[in-house]
Amino acid sequence: MTTGVIFDMDGVLIDSESFYFERRMNFFTHLAVTPTSVKMADYVGKTEKGIWETLVPNNSNLRKQLYFAYLDYRQAHPIDFQQVLRKEVRCLLRELKKQQIKLALASSSPLVEINKMLRQCQIQHYFDFVISGEELEKSKPHPEIYLKCKQALAVTSFLAVEDSTVGIEAAKAANIYTVALKQPFYVDQTKADRQINHLNEVMEVISEQQFS
């Protein structure tokens, strides 16, 4: 049996969800504008387009104006990917490749941010396939991103590592055994096959071979 493991990025490989959420909220506070939702769970796992449709759902002109202003704000307040990379990631990826397991990265984040993270953390060489939600017709919870990964990896057995509700739904809809990494804030992970506290537990799941 040949195995492929598909990782989400934000909240899984990097502990970034809180940083992104706080940066967006600080931006809105700076402009004295109130976003429609101030609950982090409403944004976790969504594409950038989906996030902004949640922030400003009923006024497309204002949403566009704020988004372009936020691009400058984001550049002035960048995330340090090396600081938020989970400490066990490099060791886990190294061990997975040692076992000749194929790896994919399936993230709703913009491709430019995904590639920046991979370069800064120097882990790009571990992945056989990388895909962003912005490259697809439909974003999570639609299974398209995971179906593309399955096609690209072309193995007989798949495991997805997710954290968000929409990500878990996408992986399950693609008929992939899905483990959910627990978060320090509430996320509905009830549809996952299994919850884990640390990424190192991925090796335990693989060794048990309880997925297909």
Side-chain angles (χ1 to χ4, degrees), residues 4 54 83 87 111 154 195-196:
T54 303
Q83 288 294 320
K87 62 182 183 300
L111 186 60
Q195 286 182 300
I196 58 176

Side-chain angles (χ1 to χ4, degrees), residues 47-174:
T47 61
E48 192 160 21
K49 180 175 181 290
I51 286 168
W52 279 88
E53 288 174 348
T54 303
L55 287 164
V56 189
N58 300 317
N59 189 328
S60 60
N61 289 331
L62 177 61
R63 180 167 63 243
K64 185 176 181 180
Q65 179 184 345
L66 290 173
Y67 174 69
F68 283 112
Y70 179 72
L71 293 180
D72 292 333
Y73 185 88
R74 185 171 69 185
Q75 188 171 1
H77 301 82
I79 187 170
D80 185 338
F81 286 114
Q82 294 187 68
Q83 288 294 320
V84 296
L85 182 74
R86 295 191 188 277
K87 62 182 183 300
E88 65 268 32
V89 166
R90 289 190 180 91
C91 182
L92 173 61
L93 297 179
R94 188 162 53 246
E95 183 60 29
L96 289 169
K97 296 307 288 185
K98 185 178 178 181
Q99 295 192 22
Q100 298 185 321
I101 292 172
K102 288 196 172 184
L103 303 180
L105 178 55
S107 172
S108 295
S109 291
L111 186 60
V112 63
E113 292 297 302
I114 297 172
N115 287 333
K116 189 183 297 183
M117 184 280 291
L118 292 172
R119 287 195 305 270
Q120 285 188 12
C121 298
Q122 299 182 339
I123 58 173
Q124 65 268 39
H125 58 286
Y126 289 112
F127 290 95
D128 301 285
F129 183 67
V130 175
I131 187 168
S132 162
E134 68 179 5
E135 302 175 71
L136 307 172
E137 293 184 10
K138 296 183 180 294
S139 58
K140 298 175 183 179
H142 192 277
E144 182 181 6
I145 194 167
Y146 278 102
L147 294 173
K148 294 277 189 182
C149 287
K150 290 178 75 172
Q151 183 179 30
L153 295 186
V155 295
T156 57
S157 179
F158 295 93
L159 172 69
V161 187
E162 271 285 357
D163 69 310
S164 69
T165 304
V166 293
I168 293 165
E169 290 178 359
K172 292 301 297 177

